[in-house]
Amino acid sequence: MTTSTDHATDRPITLSAPGGIDRSAHHRLDEAWLAAAWSHPTTRVFVVSGGQALVDDTPDGRTELVMTPSFEAPPTENHRYFLGIDQEGVRYFALQKDSLPGRMDQSARPAGLREAGALLSQRDAGLLVHAVALENWQRLHRFCSRCGERTVIAAAGHIRRCPACGAEHYPRTDPAVIMLVKDERDRALLGRQVHWPEGRFSTLAGFVEPGESIEQAVVREVAEEAGVAVGEVEYVASQPWPFPSSLMLGFMARATSSRIQVDGEEIHEARWFSREELRAAIESGEVLPPSGISIAARLIELWYGEPLPRG
């Protein structure tokens, strides 16, 4: 496998671009420091619920997370997650609640990462990704996998401890590979999953299996889903994808065969596209490209040579 770091720096990938936040993990077990940080007047807090937070549109056209000082935040003791510190020393926390708070001015709206990820600043998008990932993990891992007892939150939301057996459980991230496959004619292989709407095409992807390298996962997934053999594999970049807990590892791959035979279970249809064919299909509405916040769109654009047209 070769590695291409220059691809990743061409343009920041939405949801994974640095946002100037230092996670400051060494503070997570310091209860005195956390208490002081929570009560500091510059600290900012937002609520996350069901993968959503409140966002607001500013008069100058920006979209921002709705944040408040800690003394205005809804009360909660257990589901308070420390997210980090910015370059100005502002501390950020997220609160997990069963529902989002109302807003007296009625201008804010609830939004998830798919709706707002491309609109938010790098800082706000990074904070929301962190909070949503923690919320998903917290909701799904309330009991000890070793003994079955209910666990308690520790380390400012980044550990769950079992009071019965002493086990510590950490947030889970599932590695998945996502790849743009090219053939000898420099065409791109795009597929449509069985549950996607008609015309929606994207890169192939799949989870890394136990005991498997990421390179092996790329080769296996392409063969399983599209029946295409892959040789050279080049790493491009990664993207956190907390839906609910994935880390997408992006690749460019070179096919050694061009015959397509879809599995019919995950992939309903797959096609080779030249750049001209893809442009025409998008502009006519025949093909719907992947979301602009996804690394899939970036991989296609790296091959395409410029931002994708939007029909």
Side-chain angles (χ1 to χ4, degrees):
M1 181 184 77
T2 59
T3 300
S4 177
T5 55
D6 58 328
H7 289 325
T9 59
D10 290 342
R11 183 160 57 88
I13 296 175
T14 306
L15 306 187
S16 64
I21 300 294
D22 181 351
R23 294 197 173 195
S24 300
H26 58 287
H27 289 310
R28 294 173 185 168
L29 295 173
D30 188 338
E31 294 298 333
W33 186 93
L34 290 170
W38 175 259
S39 61
H40 197 278
T42 64
T43 291
R44 290 297 176 264
V45 181
F46 65 94
V47 176
V48 61
S49 180
Q52 293 188 319
L54 290 178
V55 301
D56 207 351
D57 298 319
T58 65
D60 59 359
R62 293 177 293 112
T63 300
E64 296 180 337
L65 275 176
V66 174
M67 301 192 207
T68 66
S70 56
F71 62 84
E72 294 181 3
T76 181
E77 291 298 328
N78 295 327
H79 294 84
R80 181 190 298 172
Y81 309 143
F82 171 61
L83 304 179
I85 309 171
D86 70 13
Q87 295 174 348
E88 284 71 44
V90 177
R91 287 86 162 174
Y92 294 91
F93 287 81
L95 302 181
Q96 178 182 324
K97 303 289 287 185
D98 291 333
S99 62
L100 295 176
R103 288 273 292 187
M104 293 182 64
D105 56 18
Q106 301 298 314
S107 65
R109 66 183 187 278
L113 286 165
R114 285 190 172 95
E115 298 85 8
L119 304 175
L120 295 171
S121 67
Q122 294 180 16
R123 183 203 68 181
D124 284 7
L127 289 170
L128 187 55
V129 167
H130 192 172
V132 167
L134 285 177
E135 183 206 19
N136 286 332
W137 173 68
Q138 294 282 358
R139 290 186 184 278
L140 296 175
H141 295 82
R142 297 177 178 177
F143 297 91
C144 179
S145 60
R146 180 184 294 177
C147 70
E149 287 292 325
R150 180 178 285 274
T151 54
V152 296
I153 297 173
H158 294 77
I159 294 176
R160 292 192 73 99
R161 289 198 178 108
C162 178
C165 70
E168 289 189 345
H169 305 279
Y170 294 84
R172 175 175 174 173
T173 298
D174 300 317
V177 292
I178 183 166
M179 44 274 173
L180 190 286
V181 181
K182 300 178 289 186
D183 70 357
E184 61 181 7
R185 295 165 55 186
D186 203 28
R187 298 179 300 174
L189 178 65
L190 303 180
R192 183 166 71 85
Q193 291 190 16
V194 294
H195 62 275
W196 285 356
E198 189 72 27
R200 174 71 70 191
F201 279 83
S202 187
T203 53
L204 303 183
F207 287 103
V208 180
E209 293 187 346
E212 183 178 52
S213 71
I214 54 177
E215 299 94 331
Q216 291 170 331
V218 170
V219 174
R220 174 184 54 78
E221 284 289 345
V222 175
E224 289 179 355
E225 294 185 349
V228 173
V230 165
E232 181 184 355
V233 173
E234 178 187 18
Y235 173 73
V236 177
S238 64
Q239 179 185 38
W241 196 250
F243 304 107
S245 56
S246 299
L247 176 65
M248 307 303 294
L249 306 167
F251 294 87
M252 305 294 281
R254 179 67 64 179
T256 59
S257 67
S258 59
R259 179 176 177 271
I260 295 174
Q261 185 174 354
V262 298
D263 61 5
E265 296 181 1
E266 293 186 58
I267 301 298
H268 176 74
E269 180 183 3
R271 293 166 54 185
W272 292 106
F273 290 89
S274 68
R275 292 170 180 80
E276 294 75 17
E277 290 169 341
L278 183 60
R279 173 182 286 276
I282 293 176
E283 291 179 344
S284 69
E286 178 189 355
V287 165
L288 304 174
S291 165
I293 71 167
S294 69
I295 192 174
R298 177 58 51 79
L299 293 172
I300 298 173
E301 289 175 349
L302 286 173
W303 160 80
Y304 188 72
E306 60 183 271
L308 291 174
R310 296 287 165 177

